[in-house]
Amino acid sequence: MTYDTTPHDARAARQMPEDDADPRVRADGGERGDGKPPVVVKVGGARAVDPAGAVEDVADLVAEGREVVVVHGGSTAVDDTLEELGEEPTYVETPGGVVGRFTDERTMEVFTMVMPGKLNTDLTVTLRNAGVDAVGLSGVDGGLLSGPRKSAVRVIEDGKKKIKRGDHSGKITDVNADLLELLLKEGHTPVVTVPMLADDGVAVNADADRAAAAVAGALGAELVVLTDVAGVYRDPDDESTLIGSVATPAEFDALKDAAEGFMTKKVMAAKEALDGGATTVIVADANADDPILAALGGTGTHIEASAVADGEEVDG
């Protein structure tokens, strides 16, 4: 997957903020300039996701004075590059039923080349062409995303639980929120991607949805997770069963039961974000008109902090 770096006509005339413009104030622990929390936008990396609408919405939000952090994935592009190099991507299933990438040393080399090397650069350029003062960052930069490295992962193979070693991935437990706050205060829009920095000083893979959740939690933000469907459905084959609002623990249990496949991780990430301090999580359609603005306005699946019970650890 690549991001289009051609400016959109509707945004071509937008100017960068002038040096003497009033900076958006964010006192420590206080209200921001517009009295609203930041927006963290997770842009998916699937082939079916077109980031153009999200880019325009980010530009509009920033022009209105809203603080925005963009977090992006790109697993499809990693898989494509591996295949071009004659390598076969490896996916595993955890005992909890979550399917994820197994990142060995060779995959990690390709991952680092594609995610921060190409996709992050492309998206940062696209946002800048849209009038956004975007700053590209990986989780390694400034120790932005860090945590313990996984020495092994538990997987299901042939119906049996096994331990698979040699994984180059980790669990994000710390976010350098001060770095993000500094950039936001100065009018920049951080564009964040994994890898993260493991506790042994090595760059390792981490799930992009959960990276966005960690960032949103650390900033007390609204998290908008853009994907290739309109939200979470009670029946994935019936669009009329979209779950619009989740506000109680019972409703969240029903949401977890409804989530299948890739959506399982997004619901898991939603809980982590809300447990970490995010105000709301919205799962919405990246390909809709004005996808971020529409999601903030009520479309998609809205998961409120009240839906998450305290004390339940999420592991994947």
Side-chain angles (χ1 to χ4, degrees):
M1 176 181 180
T2 58
Y3 293 105
D4 179 14
T5 57
T6 303
H8 297 283
D9 291 341
R11 299 301 190 271
R14 181 182 287 116
Q15 300 297 315
M16 300 300 294
E18 297 180 2
D19 291 340
D20 59 354
D22 291 336
R24 285 169 286 143
V25 177
R26 189 192 189 283
D28 291 343
E31 281 194 348
R32 298 163 199 275
D34 59 2
K36 297 179 181 179
V39 178
V40 173
V41 180
K42 163 55 175 42
V43 180
R47 290 184 183 89
V49 171
D50 181 356
V55 167
E56 294 187 2
D57 281 359
V58 170
D60 285 344
L61 287 168
V62 170
E64 293 169 2
R66 194 79 182 264
E67 294 179 342
V68 181
V69 178
V70 178
V71 181
H72 71 84
S75 59
T76 298
V78 174
D79 287 349
D80 290 346
T81 305
L82 282 167
E83 291 171 359
E84 289 172 4
L85 295 172
E87 307 281 348
E88 186 70 26
T90 301
Y91 286 84
V92 295
E93 181 181 354
T94 71
V98 178
V99 176
R101 176 190 302 280
F102 181 81
T103 309
D104 58 16
E105 184 175 2
R106 176 58 173 158
T107 302
M108 189 64 213
E109 291 176 353
V110 173
F111 185 90
T112 303
M113 177 175 66
V114 173
M115 294 288 279
K118 178 169 176 52
L119 296 185
N120 189 263
T121 300
D122 286 352
L123 183 54
T124 301
V125 168
T126 302
L127 284 162
R128 294 194 66 85
N129 284 336
V132 178
D133 192 359
V135 177
L137 298 166
S138 81
V140 172
D141 297 320
L144 179 58
L145 305 173
S146 59
R149 178 176 176 172
K150 297 178 182 178
S151 59
V153 292
R154 293 171 292 172
V155 302
I156 298 293
E157 289 184 358
D158 301 324
K160 297 179 180 179
K161 293 182 181 180
K162 297 182 180 180
I163 299 294
K164 194 172 181 68
R165 302 193 181 277
D167 190 43
H168 287 244
S169 65
K171 181 178 181 180
I172 299 169
T173 56
D174 295 287
V175 175
N176 186 350
D178 289 343
L179 175 58
L180 295 175
E181 295 283 10
L182 177 63
L183 291 169
L184 292 169
K185 182 178 180 181
E186 294 299 321
H188 302 297
T189 297
V191 183
V192 178
T193 189
V194 289
M196 60 172 279
L197 185 65
D199 50 7
D200 59 357
V202 175
V204 297
N205 190 9
D207 179 69
D209 285 322
R210 299 174 85 169
V215 169
L219 294 178
E222 293 185 78
L223 173 58
V224 179
V225 179
L226 295 178
T227 184
D228 57 357
V229 293
V232 186
Y233 302 103
R234 293 184 180 86
D235 179 356
D237 297 322
D238 185 353
E239 294 184 359
S240 69
T241 65
L242 176 70
I243 300 172
S245 176
V246 180
T248 68
E251 290 173 345
F252 189 79
D253 287 341
L255 183 75
K256 288 192 296 183
D257 291 341
E260 296 181 1
F262 72 93
M263 195 61 75
T264 303
K265 270 193 177 180
K266 298 187 187 305
V267 171
M268 182 185 299
K271 176 170 170 53
E272 291 177 355
L274 295 169
D275 282 342
T279 61
T280 310
V281 178
I282 309 166
V283 181
D285 187 357
N287 301 317
D289 293 337
D290 304 321
I292 302 171
L293 299 179
L296 294 173
T299 66
T301 299
H302 287 240
I303 310 167
E304 307 298 334
S306 58
V308 177
D310 293 333
E312 182 184 346
E313 183 177 352
V314 177
D315 189 15

